[in-house]
Amino acid sequence: MLKPQSFLNARARIAGVLFLAGFAAAFGPAANAAEPFPNGQPITLVVPYPPGGSNDSFARAVGAKLGTKLNTSVVIVNKGGAGGSIGAAQVARSKPDGYTLVAVSSSFTTNAAIQENLPFDAEKDFKAVALMAKGPFIVAVKETLPVNSVAELIALAKKNPDSINYSSSGPGSSNQFATEMFSSAAGIKMMHIPYRGMGPATAALMGNEVDVLIASGPSLLPAINTGKAKAIAITSLKPSPIAPDLKPVAEAVPGYEFSLWWGILAPAGTPDPIVNKLNKAIQEIVTEQEMKDFFVREGAEYATASAQEYQKIIKEDLVRWKQVAKKSNITVQK
């Protein structure tokens, strides 16, 4: 039989155990949420375009190394349509825990600049994670078009009004912006034919369905290198290391310049520690010599920025592209 003091001690121990059990039950989820990211769980990286094109190739290259660095797997999911807004919207609605991300380019901001009914707010519904790369566009024409320079393209367009068309990865894409800015500055008019992603847009050029495509090196170089399209200029103000033999558009159209970036976003509300961990890992990845060489081969250069700096770039781009759209009369209908 327990003595009174022993009985009291036993009751105290039992009460203590029950208290700890109740505490664990009440706060267990919070404790689990605080486990180190990514804790072995796979990360889904959405590419809001069909396979092919720069967003896809960069996401796959960086995603493979990110999985290794974080000791987990990164699953690439292509979800194209509506100029990239369908896939982006899916990520915006996802749980903000770092396990669902989206790979975007400057088209994310150009699209938002002219689309009034997007299923998300480009600034408020996303949190910038990290830049991957940057670079100019290449101006390419179909292999059978009788031009070999920007000056010749302009002359042909002026001689045959409304006879030249161009493809893009969708309405509001950076391709559309770059081409409409070029047309406006050169005093010509080209018909816009939007496609659902860079893969189809490039295929249209290679198949002689369209005359012109102004797009990134990663998207165009395979077609150019196989002789299925002709590169006639680059959109940087000065010659670029990604295509040193190409002359800048600015030599024929003074002041013309267009560059773009590629990066990764997360849903708004994703905790800063998770974003910063992802940012650090991606910056380390893109500055590896192997990746630097990869980007140059693909027609771009690596780029780094803190998550906060990248967020500022997005905010400033949204303002700038709205101004450009108004000046160059860029609309969804084109």
Side-chain angles (χ1 to χ4, degrees):
M1 181 175 181
L2 288 173
K3 295 181 179 180
Q5 187 61 43
S6 299
F7 177 75
L8 292 175
N9 289 342
R11 287 190 61 183
R13 287 195 296 272
I14 293 171
V17 170
L18 291 175
F19 173 78
L20 291 174
F23 183 88
F27 296 98
N32 291 337
E35 290 177 353
F37 173 85
N39 194 32
Q41 296 186 47
I43 295 171
T44 297
L45 179 54
V46 175
V47 176
Y49 298 100
S54 54
N55 286 62
D56 187 59
S57 61
F58 288 0
R60 291 179 185 279
V62 172
K65 286 184 171 288
L66 183 62
T68 300
K69 186 172 283 290
L70 297 182
N71 194 31
T72 187
S73 59
V74 175
V75 181
I76 306 297
V77 175
N78 292 90
K79 191 157 184 79
S85 63
I86 293 177
Q90 175 183 313
V91 174
R93 295 190 297 265
S94 299
K95 187 177 180 180
D97 55 7
Y99 292 104
T100 306
L101 310 170
V102 61
V104 298
S105 67
S106 297
S107 286
F108 175 77
T109 52
T110 55
N111 189 34
I114 65 170
Q115 298 271 13
E116 296 183 356
N117 299 311
L118 288 175
F120 55 80
D121 186 300
E123 183 178 356
K124 296 178 181 179
D125 291 343
F126 296 90
K127 196 165 187 175
V129 174
L131 282 173
M132 294 186 290
K134 62 181 180 180
F137 274 157
I138 290 174
V139 181
V141 299
K142 67 181 182 182
E143 194 274 331
T144 57
L145 197 71
V147 302
N148 293 292
S149 69
V150 169
E152 291 179 354
L153 174 62
I154 294 172
L156 182 64
K158 287 183 175 180
K159 183 179 179 180
N160 302 283
D162 301 319
S163 66
I164 306 295
N165 58 31
Y166 74 92
S167 62
S168 80
S169 60
S173 64
S174 52
N175 314 108
Q176 182 189 11
F177 267 70
T179 311
E180 292 295 339
M181 286 172 63
F182 164 72
S183 298
S184 177
I188 62 173
K189 181 68 176 177
M190 294 191 288
M191 182 184 300
H192 179 208
I193 302 179
Y195 288 81
R196 295 185 63 178
M198 275 313 307
T202 305
L205 182 72
M206 296 169 65
N208 292 321
E209 296 174 16
V210 295
D211 302 306
V212 180
L213 174 57
I214 300 180
S216 65
S219 300
L220 280 172
L221 286 178
I224 293 167
N225 292 336
T226 56
K228 295 182 178 179
K230 293 187 293 186
I232 62 172
I234 198 157
T235 63
S236 52
L237 281 176
K238 297 180 180 180
S240 169
I242 72 167
D245 295 334
L246 290 180
K247 294 182 178 181
V249 173
E251 290 191 9
V253 184
Y256 178 84
E257 179 187 20
F258 197 99
S259 61
L260 70 160
W261 47 256
W262 293 264
I264 293 176
L265 309 178
T270 303
D272 286 340
I274 291 176
V275 168
N276 292 336
K277 184 170 186 177
L278 287 166
N279 179 275
K280 181 175 182 294
I282 293 169
Q283 287 202 55
E284 290 174 352
I285 289 168
V286 301
T287 53
E288 293 175 6
Q289 190 59 50
E290 178 186 353
M291 288 300 294
K292 289 181 180 180
D293 294 341
F294 163 78
F295 285 125
V296 172
R297 286 196 307 272
E298 292 291 313
E301 299 176 76
Y302 81 94
T304 61
S306 68
Q308 294 73 25
E309 290 168 339
Y310 182 23
Q311 192 78 50
K312 184 179 179 182
I313 289 172
I314 292 173
K315 183 176 182 179
E316 291 175 346
D317 270 10
L318 289 169
V319 173
R320 179 162 64 102
W321 293 131
K322 286 179 181 179
Q323 295 172 342
V324 169
K326 184 176 182 180
K327 181 179 178 180
S328 299
N329 194 31
I330 302 173
T331 65
V332 178
Q333 288 73 32
K334 287 190 175 184

